[in-house]
Structure formats: C-alpha cells, structure tokens
Amino acid sequence: ADAYSNMGNTLKELQDVPGAMQCYQRAIQINPAFADAHSNLASILKDGGNLAEAINSYKTALKLKPNFPDAFCNLAHCMQIVCDWSDYKERMKRLVAIVQEQLDSNRLPSVHPHHSMLYPLSHNQRKRVAGKHASLCLEKVSLLHYPPFRFPKRLPTQRIRIGYVSSDFC
C-alpha cells in the first residue's frame, strides 16, 4: 500500500492525475485503514471539483487518523467551498491552532497562502505561512540549477510590464 501511495504522489507531481488516482485507490484497496491514501485521493478529487467525494475521503482519513493536520485543513477548505457552516467556529479554532503549532515547530503549514485569507489567522500568521511556502518554492527551483533571472534595463520612455501568478495556472 505504501508503494502505491508513493507512486501516486510521484504521478501527481508529474501531472498524471488519472494514474495517481488509480494508485491511491489501489493503496486503499490493499489497506483500507491507510489514512494518507484516503487524504491523497481526496486531494485529487478536490482539485478535480468533486467536492462531495473529497469531503467523504477527508472524513474517512480523519476517522482513521484523528490528528492529521493536512486532512483537517483541506476538509475545512472544502467545507467553506460548499458553504457548510456547521461547526464553523470549532473548525476554525482547531485550524488556527494547527497552523500556529506548525509555525512554532518550523514545519510547512497545512494551509496554502492563498487560502489563508479565508481563515481567522492574524496578519503575522498569514505572512509566516506565505514565507514557509515561498521557501519551499525556492528549494524546488534551486534543484533546477538555473541562474537567477536578470531583469533587462528599462529605458525611461519604456512602460513597466506587469505579470500575474496564480495557483490556478497549470
């Protein structure tokens, strides 16, 4: 089951979503109590817009492993997307505590920077979440061994060009 889940993670990184989904499903078939595989499958379902199944898979993962920060934070995000406000205050209280504990222990927070605006986090917590995720991006980019980007000099008569970066870009 571990091997299938790991292969699913690799395929997901390579943008092979159907292959990753098959691996996670196979891992669950081999070991139905494998919380990580349920959470990974839920993540693919969530990204694909299948929120009802994603919520069920996150809930299964949390039943199997109640102290599972990634599954809890992703479930909280799904619940907000579908406007399920049941237990909202308690869910947000737990989410904020999870994020603070992760920041205090210098771990990557389970909340993405662009999702942090949805939660009652402090400005400082949001900045720290963004900083931790930015550091992860820098680590990944450094593996490519590209030289740093050099901006061309701009003449005073030239316009400034502005780009846009979004987590929605593939």
Side-chain angles (χ1 to χ4, degrees):
D2 283 338
Y4 276 105
S5 186
N6 290 337
M7 186 167 34
N9 292 339
T10 302
L11 292 173
K12 186 177 176 190
E13 274 292 309
L14 295 171
Q15 307 299 314
D16 181 0
V17 174
M21 186 178 286
Q22 284 181 332
C23 287
Y24 296 140
Q25 289 168 335
R26 182 69 177 123
I28 292 166
Q29 187 180 31
I30 293 168
N31 181 3
F34 192 8
D36 290 59
H38 285 281
S39 182
N40 290 335
L41 176 61
S43 179
I44 284 181
L45 293 167
K46 177 185 168 199
D47 291 346
N50 193 341
L51 296 172
E53 283 189 51
I55 288 169
N56 288 335
S57 290
Y58 283 129
K59 285 180 176 180
T60 300
L62 287 164
K63 281 179 191 165
L64 296 168
K65 187 175 167 183
N67 188 19
F68 193 167
D70 287 348
F72 182 82
C73 291
N74 283 314
L75 174 61
H77 186 239
C78 286
M79 300 298 269
Q80 284 198 229
I81 293 170
V82 299
C83 298
D84 183 338
W85 307 115
S86 60
D87 300 322
Y88 174 80
K89 286 184 181 180
E90 190 58 38
R91 190 166 53 241
M92 290 301 106
K93 185 177 174 182
R94 183 173 171 197
L95 185 139
V96 170
I98 287 169
V99 170
Q100 188 60 53
E101 190 274 326
Q102 290 172 327
L103 291 170
D104 289 345
S105 59
N106 205 29
R107 291 196 320 264
L108 184 70
S110 297
V111 171
H112 294 281
H114 52 280
H115 295 166
S116 70
M117 301 304 286
L118 300 171
Y119 311 125
L121 299 170
S122 70
H123 178 63
N124 184 51
Q125 286 171 315
R126 288 187 184 107
K127 281 177 42 179
R128 291 178 64 199
V129 166
K132 292 297 290 177
H133 281 272
S135 294
L136 176 65
C137 290
L138 286 173
E139 285 177 34
K140 287 183 177 184
V141 168
S142 72
L143 296 174
L144 300 174
H145 303 292
Y146 287 134
F149 182 78
R150 301 243 186 247
F151 291 95
K153 295 234 183 222
R154 185 176 62 86
L155 299 173
T157 58
Q158 287 181 310
R159 290 182 162 192
I160 296 175
R161 292 187 216 171
I162 298 174
Y164 175 75
V165 178
S166 170
S167 65
D168 297 330
F169 292 158
C170 294

